[in-house]
């Protein structure tokens, strides 16, 4: 965006009193302005709840408690236009992130695959570092980023993609997760053999439920991020694995 740029770090809080649009209107004559329109599709909700709404204050407090010690992030401030929706979102994603027993590195690997398949730059840039911190190796994360989807196109077309997956640096458990995420994200219907492979690789019933809801939940996240262009990330490139490793 040219002119007065609004740049959002994934972890920075943004206040909105007055809104960016209001500030630009005050400083420029709309009839003669040459400023490009704002990229973000909605203004962010205020970072503090209205004093007149105790229910919203409780919701803000619950979300802030989960984010602590970080401030509210741009995704929160997008969802908080509807505090009840933001509250349910916070509870669901909070359970996936903090109350699951599945290996967190593997869960983050699945989230990263969803980000790649859906083009969710914000999601990749936020979760790829968490995958590395969770024990995923750089070459494994690179495979997640670059491997073609095993679920794309007609039933006969993914054979080369499946061969590439089989020959990749991923572990057997990781390969099973990638194929599961591909099918859940792109064809929705999961093949019996794909599901059975999760069981063959030793995932318990609870872990499979947690993996499934994690993939489904972050498909929801990516679609909101991309549709609303949260954080103005849609036009950006996903960070490279080398860059992520260097910044750990």
């Amino acid at each position: 965006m040219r002119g007065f740029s609004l740049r959002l770090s994934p972890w920075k809080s943004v206040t909105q009193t007055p809104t960016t649009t209001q500030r630009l209107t005050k400083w420029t004559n709309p009839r003669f302005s040459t400023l490009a329109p704002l990229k973000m599709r909605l203004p962010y909700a205020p970072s503090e709840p209205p004093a007149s709404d105790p229910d919203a204050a409780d919701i803000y407090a619950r979300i802030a408690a989960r984010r602590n010690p970080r401030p509210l992030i741009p995704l929160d401030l997008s969802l908080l236009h509807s505090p009840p929706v933001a509250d349910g979102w916070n509870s669901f994603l909070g359970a996936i992130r903090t109350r699951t027993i599945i290996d967190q590195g593997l869960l983050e690997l699945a989230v990263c695959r969803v980000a790649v398949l859906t083009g969710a730059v914000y999601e990749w840039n936020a979760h790829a570092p968490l995958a590395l911190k969770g024990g995923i190796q750089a070459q494994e994360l690179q495979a997640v980023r670059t491997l073609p989807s095993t679920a794309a196109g007609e039933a006969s077309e993914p054979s080369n993609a499946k061969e590439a997956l089989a020959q990749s640096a991923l572990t057997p458990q990781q390969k099973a997760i990638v194929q599961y995420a591909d099918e859940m994200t792109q064809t929705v219907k999961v093949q019996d053999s794909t599901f059975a492979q999760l069981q063959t690789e030793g995932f318990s019933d609870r872990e499979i439920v947690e993996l499934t809801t994690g993939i489904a939940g972050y498909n929801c996240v990516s679609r909101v991020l991309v549709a609303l262009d949260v954080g103005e990330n849609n036009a950006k490139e996903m960070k490279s694995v080398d860059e992520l490793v260097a910044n750990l």
Side-chain angles (χ1 to χ4, degrees), residues 66-218:
R66 184 166 79 86
R67 296 296 183 197
N68 186 57
R70 297 174 295 156
L72 299 180
I73 65 174
L75 178 56
D76 300 325
L77 296 175
S78 297
L79 294 170
L80 279 164
H81 282 294
S82 175
V85 170
D87 196 26
W89 183 288
N90 182 61
S91 178
F92 176 47
L93 271 297
I96 291 172
R97 299 213 57 76
T98 65
R99 301 180 66 185
T100 50
I101 65 169
I102 190 169
D103 179 88
Q104 289 300 296
L106 294 178
L107 180 60
E108 295 296 350
L109 180 139
V111 173
C112 289
R113 185 61 174 179
V114 170
V116 170
L117 296 173
T118 58
V121 176
Y122 185 121
E123 190 167 87
W124 169 270
N125 289 347
H127 288 271
L130 299 178
L132 293 170
K133 290 177 181 177
I136 302 302
Q137 299 301 304
Q139 66 271 22
E140 295 166 348
L141 188 60
Q142 182 65 17
V144 165
R145 173 152 183 188
T146 57
L147 282 169
S149 173
T150 58
E154 299 297 329
S156 59
E157 291 180 3
S159 57
N160 290 338
K162 289 181 180 179
E163 182 64 23
L165 177 63
Q167 295 178 3
S168 72
L170 298 175
T171 68
Q173 278 195 331
Q174 292 168 350
K175 291 173 184 176
I177 288 173
V178 166
Q179 187 158 341
Y180 192 51
D182 287 357
E183 293 180 13
M184 277 192 64
T185 301
Q186 294 194 303
T187 60
V188 182
K189 183 178 180 180
V190 173
Q191 300 298 315
D192 289 342
S193 59
T194 300
F195 188 85
Q197 192 61 32
L198 295 175
Q199 297 170 314
T200 299
E201 294 303 330
F203 290 106
S204 68
D205 291 352
R206 175 171 175 172
E207 288 171 323
I208 291 174
V209 167
E210 292 174 351
L211 178 64
T212 303
T213 52
I215 292 169
Y218 278 94

